[in-house]
Amino acid sequence: MLDHHTIEKYELGWLVVALVLIAMLFAGVLASMISETVPGFFGTKAQYIDPAKLSQTPFATPGLKTGPDGALDAYIVATAFQFQPNVLRVPAGRPVTLHMVSTDVIHGLLLGQGNVNVELIPGQVAVITKVFDHPGSYTSECNEYCGTGHQTMSFKLIVEAAK
Amino acid sequence: MTTTVSPALRPTEQVYAGHPEKKVTLYFLVTGLVLLLIGVAIGPLQALNYAGIDVYRYLPFLKSYYQGLSLHGVLNALVFTTYFISGLLLYLPCRALKVRPNLLVAWGAYWTMTAGVLMAAAALLTNNATLLYTFYPPLQGSPLFYIGAALLVVGSLIIGVQVIVIWTQWKRQHPGEITPLVAFMSVATWMMWLIASLGLVVEVVFLLIPWSLGWVKGVDPLLARTLFWYTGHPIVYFWVMPAYISWYALLPGQAGGKIASETMARLSFVLFLLLSTPVGLHHQFADTGISMSWKVIQMLLTFLVVIPSLLTAFSVGASLEIAARLRGGGGWVGWIRHLPWKDPVFTAQVLAMVSFIPGGAGGIVNASIALDSEVHNTAWIPGHFHITVGTATTLTFFAVSFWLLPHLTRKPLASVKGALWASWLWFWGMIIFAIGMHWEGLIGIPRRTYLATATGLGDMLARAQIPMALTGISGMVLMVASIFYFSVIFRTLLGRQRVAESAEVPIPVSESLEQFEAREAGLSAAGMKVAGAVRLMERLWIFFALALALVVLMYLPMLIGMVLNTHLLPGQRLW
């Protein structure tokens, strides 16, 4: 049987291995984030809109809007138990800025593409700029429990190939 | 003339005469297990829902899947664990320190907790708290639910403070002595919980109770969520650390071996005390309104808590190998066969550890911001926590119940075979469940949704046929496992036969390799050389203060920002 000093020596070695592994993991994840595999690493600013006063904001008419400079902005409003719009069409290969907000309780949305997974806390606006590369139709549903109709709160993202 | 009473006929009270704390411990454990039985009974319904089969419409007593899930989550994750840990981590340290706890305080804690659970149960069963176990505002439940939840936590804190006080007094009466390992680990766990429970206590007492009673108009959902997860992640260490105590300090002896290294065992608990709490933000990577810098810092801290778990894997593996070699095992892996696989106390714990390997690995995925965005709020997450708290902790607690209930009651375990079947079936049921749920999560199926009646997931469901079937099957396996388990437990508790005091199942405190070597060398326990590191770690209050400082550093600036910038919302009842 090994004596406890020897075992402790091995275990200290294992502790060093563990530390190195953790350092590598942290560096790897950080590198991935900096290379924007996850949208919103840079330049996200907390924005708050009073959910009772959406009519004075672009959220009054949810959907995709093209700005004068051609920039694409999509406004999505989550309310129990539907997303407005519940089908969003975006062109492939162009940056789209998604603006999402909930008006009542917490909702959540995971888009089938592009690592967009947001928790929609009432009034806290999520702003994410993303290029959707792959044309197709992606279904999803509200992913934070919001009440009896939670499972009917669906959303579809349609990425259309450039014409 | 004295009459001798045969052991089998002794009145019940005498069983507890020598150690009256046995009775309160038994009440904590059994109440926890009875409530677990209710929570577990609902489990198969959840699993069938994730197989696309809707059983809820036939159930008159549950209004919805969400009511069932609220009961399942609250009872299993919050109530059962709190009772079991309060009983176990009161009894073990007191016996290790040879101190009798103040029973009035212990019973006070038990009844506080039970009053709380009854209140919360009334709200849950009448469909007035269908909030799931995370109860995020602005969904608003009955005040009974929040007050009940607060009392549950307060009950556990009473026990925690009691154990810490007992230890502090013991230290004063035994200057220079080293705290026995089990007591050291228990105190570290309670100190961690003292810091970690603050968030939940503040959220419930200062935000949710006044709001649900109508005393204040609104609550800030982001602030409440942040306070919830301040406690919500370290609570998993509160669930895991008692299992680690069993793995480190009891299992080596149960396997016939020695604790590989007491110093390292103590070190991992000190690391848990230091690092467990400032990590809750990794549940909020997807939240807007929290800056990315805080998220990245807490991601790093979360990774660091992996280290004590990796140390545990090494230590416990080494002690099992020592055990097997002492039992005559050899070879690189051949020794594994020589472990006592026919003993359910041993087997259940080893299976619990095995489940914790993929469980812990999945946890690292969840803690990585880049990977979390793929799995956050998907079925992956319940897949993950059913092999961590649902198996690593729960199956270890099953193992503990297999020796501790006979120890406390002096009634022999009703069926060793039944206990073995329960352990293996629980293990495989959870593994199948986890495979199904992780897989569904990768397809993108959301967690905790009434999937059987979902309308918007058509093409996803088509791709998830196999994992969904696995989830459904696992529910049935787990149902059989729980029938085995609870029938063994209740047959044991209701059994009439009691063994004599001399034949009582002992508390299986293991000897460490250090102690063994000293004994072999002819040294007395007092004459043993104590490592400097062990002496340093005895100062748990210093580590407590450091842990508190780290939490303040990691949370206070963020919380102040939120408090200065609150957006109050009224409650909603949407179920």
Side-chain angles (χ1 to χ4, degrees):
Chain A
M1 193 159 70
L2 288 170
D3 70 297
H4 86 273
H5 290 295
T6 317
I7 291 191
E8 269 165 24
K9 217 176 285 168
Y10 285 149
E11 190 161 1
L12 283 171
W14 171 246
L15 177 65
V16 173
V17 171
L19 280 166
V20 170
L21 282 175
I22 295 299
M24 283 165 59
L25 178 68
F26 183 66
V29 173
L30 211 58
S32 156
M33 289 166 67
I34 290 168
S35 63
E36 289 274 295
T37 51
V38 185
F41 182 65
F42 294 107
T44 37
K45 278 228 170 70
Q47 263 189 45
Y48 185 85
I49 292 184
D50 185 344
K53 293 178 186 151
L54 286 191
S55 58
Q56 296 149 25
T57 70
F59 287 105
T61 50
L64 190 69
K65 298 174 203 294
T66 312
D69 54 350
L72 295 171
D73 284 278
Y75 290 85
I76 300 166
V77 178
T79 308
F81 299 106
Q82 62 170 335
F83 287 103
Q84 283 180 302
N86 59 9
V87 178
L88 180 71
R89 289 169 190 277
V90 297
R94 284 181 59 191
V96 180
T97 303
L98 303 164
H99 307 254
M100 295 173 269
V101 76
S102 156
T103 62
D104 43 23
V105 294
I106 303 182
H107 300 282
L109 190 60
L110 164 64
L111 295 182
Q113 196 197 69
N115 282 338
V116 177
N117 195 342
V118 283
E119 198 81 31
L120 300 173
I121 296 159
Q124 304 282 353
V125 184
V127 184
I128 286 170
T129 303
K130 189 74 204 165
V131 179
F132 296 98
D133 287 321
H134 307 287
S137 158
Y138 303 91
T139 48
S140 56
E141 259 187 6
C142 175
N143 70 6
E144 188 61 85
Y145 168 66
C146 56
T148 359
H150 172 51
Q151 73 282 357
T152 60
M153 195 167 161
S154 60
F155 184 81
K156 188 178 272 187
L157 172 76
I158 297 173
V159 181
E160 292 173 325
K163 282 162 201 144
Chain B
M1 196 183 90
T2 53
T3 50
T4 46
V5 183
S6 91
L9 296 173
R10 274 178 205 213
T12 318
E13 287 312 313
Q14 286 196 8
V15 176
Y16 309 112
H19 290 285
E21 69 271 28
K22 280 185 174 179
K23 192 166 176 179
V24 71
T25 305
L26 188 66
Y27 268 67
F28 271 118
L29 301 184
V30 175
T31 311
L33 289 172
V34 168
L35 293 163
L36 176 71
L37 169 62
I38 303 169
V40 162
I42 302 169
L45 310 177
Q46 327 287 359
L48 286 175
N49 171 56
Y50 266 81
I53 301 164
D54 180 15
V55 193
Y56 285 92
R57 70 173 85 176
Y58 307 110
L59 293 178
F61 51 89
L62 288 177
K63 291 269 184 328
S64 68
Y65 162 77
Y66 300 111
Q67 190 190 2
L69 186 58
S70 297
L71 277 161
H72 178 80
V74 170
L75 289 175
N76 295 355
L78 304 179
V79 175
F80 157 66
T81 50
T82 307
Y83 270 98
F84 203 94
I85 293 165
S86 296
L88 185 68
L89 291 201
L90 170 69
Y91 190 71
L92 288 181
C94 285
R95 289 301 301 267
L97 297 173
K98 301 192 172 67
V99 175
R100 179 177 298 172
N102 181 325
L103 291 176
L104 212 62
V105 174
W107 281 109
Y110 173 82
W111 288 112
T112 306
M113 220 179 248
T114 305
V117 169
L118 289 175
M119 290 168 83
L124 282 163
L125 290 169
T126 51
N127 200 27
N128 284 316
T130 299
L131 306 161
L132 309 188
Y133 76 101
T134 44
F135 50 86
Y136 297 137
L139 284 176
Q140 188 185 52
S142 152
L144 277 180
F145 175 78
Y146 304 114
I147 298 170
L151 290 177
L152 175 73
V153 176
V154 167
S156 73
L157 290 175
I158 295 174
I159 296 291
V161 170
Q162 189 179 14
V163 171
I164 295 170
V165 168
I166 286 172
W167 171 74
T168 315
Q169 288 168 345
W170 182 90
K171 284 296 286 180
R172 212 169 294 145
Q173 287 157 6
H174 299 80
E177 273 187 50
I178 299 298
T179 312
L181 185 62
V182 170
F184 178 88
M185 291 175 154
S186 305
V187 172
T189 306
W190 283 122
M191 283 183 166
M192 187 285 289
W193 181 234
L194 227 54
I195 300 174
S197 60
L198 277 175
L200 194 67
V201 170
V202 171
E203 183 202 4
V204 173
V205 174
F206 295 104
L207 304 183
L208 301 184
I209 292 177
W211 171 66
S212 67
L213 287 168
W215 297 347
V216 294
K217 285 249 157 19
V219 70
D220 183 331
L222 179 63
L223 174 63
R225 223 175 111 80
T226 307
L227 289 169
F228 180 85
W229 285 118
Y230 168 102
T231 301
H233 195 76
I235 202 175
V236 314
Y237 302 117
F238 180 57
W239 299 333
V240 161
M241 284 161 78
Y244 277 16
I245 293 179
S246 183
W247 299 353
Y248 262 120
L250 310 183
L251 182 66
Q254 286 162 338
K258 313 284 169 203
I259 299 168
S261 161
E262 235 192 278
T263 313
M264 297 306 275
R266 286 169 196 261
L267 175 64
S268 76
F269 270 67
V270 167
L271 289 176
F272 271 123
L273 172 57
L274 284 175
L275 297 170
S276 285
T277 313
V279 298
L281 217 52
H282 75 250
H283 289 253
Q284 294 178 276
F285 286 158
D287 287 21
T288 42
I290 295 176
S291 99
M292 190 53 97
S293 344
W294 287 119
K295 291 177 183 172
V296 172
I297 293 170
Q298 290 211 9
M299 171 172 80
L300 175 63
L301 286 166
T302 313
F303 288 162
L304 290 176
V305 205
V306 175
I307 288 173
S309 281
L310 288 172
L311 288 181
T312 305
F314 182 99
S315 273
V316 175
S319 5
L320 291 183
E321 184 172 343
I322 292 171
R325 294 196 188 280
L326 283 173
R327 297 168 73 95
W332 278 88
V333 287
W335 53 269
I336 294 172
R337 279 183 298 117
H338 292 262
L339 289 166
W341 292 103
K342 292 217 165 77
D343 176 5
V345 177
F346 170 83
T347 302
Q349 290 186 81
V350 172
L351 295 177
M353 290 173 194
V354 172
S355 80
F356 205 49
I357 298 170
I364 296 174
V365 170
N366 305 342
S368 313
I369 299 178
L371 295 169
D372 178 64
S373 64
E374 194 64 12
V375 297
H376 176 73
N377 274 350
T378 69
W380 168 288
I381 303 297
H384 162 71
F385 64 66
H386 278 77
I387 46 173
T388 47
V389 63
T391 314
T393 297
T394 305
L395 200 47
T396 302
F397 288 178
F398 285 2
V400 168
S401 71
F402 293 149
W403 70 264
L404 186 52
L405 295 178
H407 164 83
L408 294 171
T409 59
R410 278 203 238 134
K411 294 178 178 183
L413 189 68
S415 165
V416 169
K417 272 222 171 93
L420 275 172
W421 273 99
S423 310
W424 280 105
L425 285 170
W426 190 271
F427 170 75
W428 281 114
M430 284 299 185
I431 294 293
I432 300 169
F433 179 85
I435 295 171
M437 295 296 272
H438 280 87
W439 190 344
E440 284 172 45
L442 291 178
I443 292 170
I445 291 181
R447 73 187 282 194
R448 45 197 199 181
T449 192
Y450 194 0
L451 200 63
T453 63
T455 50
L457 294 173
D459 60 330
M460 268 190 210
L461 296 183
R463 277 180 289 145
Q465 293 293 315
I466 299 170
M468 284 172 67
L470 288 176
T471 305
I473 292 166
S474 74
M476 302 303 103
V477 176
L478 285 163
M479 190 168 69
V480 178
S482 55
I483 292 171
F484 270 104
Y485 176 70
F486 285 106
S487 66
V488 169
I489 290 307
F490 289 118
R491 275 166 57 210
T492 304
L493 291 172
L494 299 173
R496 296 250 171 99
Q497 188 200 350
R498 287 185 202 263
V499 298
E501 198 173 351
S502 54
E504 182 182 281
V505 177
I507 300 174
V509 175
S510 310
E511 188 181 41
S512 69
L513 210 49
E514 289 100 314
Q515 289 164 338
F516 172 74
E517 286 163 11
R519 195 160 52 82
E520 293 281 283
L523 292 172
S524 69
M528 216 177 106
K529 195 172 158 283
V530 177
V534 172
R535 291 221 180 274
L536 178 72
M537 287 188 286
E538 272 294 288
R539 297 161 192 272
L540 274 174
W541 282 114
I542 295 180
F543 296 103
F544 176 83
L546 284 175
L548 203 59
L550 189 59
V551 165
V552 167
L553 207 62
M554 288 301 137
Y555 265 102
L556 204 61
M558 186 168 53
L559 286 174
I560 290 177
M562 286 181 191
V563 170
L564 292 179
N565 195 17
T566 49
H567 304 289
L568 303 180
L569 288 178
Q572 306 255 2
R573 186 187 160 126
L574 297 176
W575 65 88

